[in-house]
Amino acid sequence: MGTAGTSTDEITGERRQLINVAYRLLGSLAEAEDAVQEAYARWYALPRSRQEEIVSPGAWLTTVTGRVCLDLLGSARARRERYVGAWLPEPLPGSLSGPLSEPLSEPLSEPLHRAPHGRGADPADQVVMDESVTMAFLVVLESMTPAERVAFVLHDVFRYPFAEIAGVLGRTPAACKQLAASARRRVAAARAPMTAAGQAGQASVVRRVKQAWETKDVAALVELLDPAAVMTADGGGIAGTALRPIEGAARIAQYMVAIAGKAPELELLERPVNGVPGLVARSAGVVMAVASFDVADGRVTRIWAVRNPEKLRPWARDG
């Protein structure tokens, strides 16, 4: 069965699925858009006769997007070695309307690739918010090899069979299965799954962090931070920030208060960041930073603060 009856709307309707795949693979919405555009360019460059031979255009587009992302991941490490300071995934606005997905130690029970779509919508609006896009999760994905990341995301998150993933990676299905298993062990070792109760608890902790930060209360911040907490900031050499991770509750608290002291008009807003409670720092209506948190036992263990304005474009509409 070919694609003779496949309409342009049906082809472009795969865009949301592809954006979701590419963002999880790359951690960058801008790069995800570029990868998806490249996949579509290759589709439309095919002769009509070749298009009609393809049984599933969506699967073809996903395979091509995966290959493009794999190439980008291979070159990303060299680019990030030249990056000024720490590189963090791009934070996205996200809803807290429901609980996060079940833990990804096993594949999701439902794939995301049939989620509804909207043509011409902001790409950030097309990313389905679940456990696989939290900042904590994306940071773990950054620790994987490109092949591990592709195998894990396509199989464990999107439920693609290893036979299809083999076509993306150019390896056997058995090898792809081993890659996904290795990636799964990294995830299990690095993080605990976020539950609905945990999300509610994190919202409470983040609210208290906001209040202590606004009042420049170092002692309150230290109490809310785990003694071994780590704060990582991403300014990309464009916005001033700490170039190395800051370790320890006292040092982080002092740094946060110093930042507040330098920006007397700074406004802190509670906003969902990649689907979980976070904070947005705004000055004169302009978003200056987006902070994500990891919370355990009622205390903040990790803070990821993105200040690079190139990564804050999806937040321009934040009200």
Side-chain angles (χ1 to χ4, degrees):
M1 177 174 141
T3 65
T6 302
S7 68
T8 300
D9 282 351
E10 289 174 311
I11 295 297
T12 56
E14 297 290 337
R15 176 177 168 78
R16 182 169 187 170
Q17 152 72 352
L18 301 176
I19 288 289
N20 272 277
V21 169
Y23 175 70
R24 287 163 174 80
L25 289 177
L26 300 171
S28 164
L29 189 61
E31 290 183 356
E33 287 185 88
D34 289 343
V36 171
Q37 287 300 107
E38 175 62 22
Y40 274 112
R42 295 185 188 183
W43 169 263
Y44 288 114
L46 293 175
R48 179 62 178 174
S49 58
R50 175 70 184 102
Q51 292 179 359
E52 292 176 349
E53 293 174 356
I54 297 173
V55 174
S56 173
W60 187 93
L61 285 165
T62 302
T63 296
V64 173
T65 298
R67 288 173 179 165
V68 173
C69 290
L70 184 64
D71 290 341
L72 288 172
L73 286 170
S75 61
R77 295 195 172 189
R79 294 197 310 273
R80 290 168 191 172
E81 285 177 0
R82 300 190 298 270
Y83 196 81
V84 178
W87 186 96
L88 290 175
E90 181 179 337
L92 296 182
S95 173
L96 291 179
S97 58
L100 296 178
S101 66
E102 292 301 313
L104 296 179
S105 57
E106 295 296 334
L108 292 175
S109 59
E110 293 293 336
L112 297 177
H113 57 282
R114 290 304 170 201
H117 67 278
R119 291 186 63 193
D122 188 316
D125 293 334
Q126 299 184 45
V127 177
V128 176
M129 291 296 163
D130 69 6
E131 189 190 0
S132 68
V133 292
T134 65
M135 187 62 69
F137 198 89
L138 292 174
V139 168
V140 175
L141 292 180
E142 283 295 314
S143 70
M144 299 177 185
T145 68
E148 284 177 336
R149 188 166 182 169
V150 170
F152 177 80
V153 168
L154 289 181
H155 182 265
D156 283 45
V157 180
F158 291 94
R159 295 300 302 275
Y160 282 95
F162 288 118
E164 292 185 21
I165 298 171
V168 177
L169 294 177
R171 306 191 187 197
T172 66
C176 294
K177 187 175 182 178
Q178 290 180 341
L179 287 167
S182 174
R184 205 173 296 124
R185 287 191 293 270
R186 290 178 186 257
V187 171
R191 49 169 293 287
M194 172 72 78
T195 63
Q199 183 172 307
Q202 176 158 327
S204 175
V205 172
V206 169
R207 181 170 296 112
R208 284 183 286 157
V209 168
K210 171 183 178 291
Q211 293 167 348
W213 199 351
E214 287 174 330
T215 57
K216 304 181 181 63
D217 190 336
V218 172
L221 284 170
V222 170
E223 183 63 26
L224 289 165
L225 294 165
D226 184 275
V230 179
M231 180 180 188
T232 304
D234 178 345
I238 302 173
T241 192
L243 296 180
R244 294 181 179 83
I246 302 171
E247 300 179 357
R251 293 185 63 197
I252 294 172
Q254 291 165 0
Y255 178 78
M256 293 171 71
V257 169
I259 291 174
K262 293 178 181 178
E265 297 182 0
L266 196 66
E267 179 185 17
L268 296 176
L269 307 170
E270 294 178 55
R271 293 290 187 270
V273 180
N274 286 59
V276 295
L279 292 177
V280 171
R282 195 170 65 175
S283 178
V286 177
V287 173
M288 308 300 294
V290 172
S292 304
F293 300 85
D294 207 11
V295 175
D297 299 324
R299 285 187 169 185
V300 174
T301 58
R302 292 296 305 262
I303 302 175
W304 298 281
V306 177
R307 293 206 62 205
N308 185 341
E310 294 181 352
K311 295 184 178 183
L312 299 179
R313 290 170 184 166
W315 296 86
R317 297 171 300 166
D318 184 79

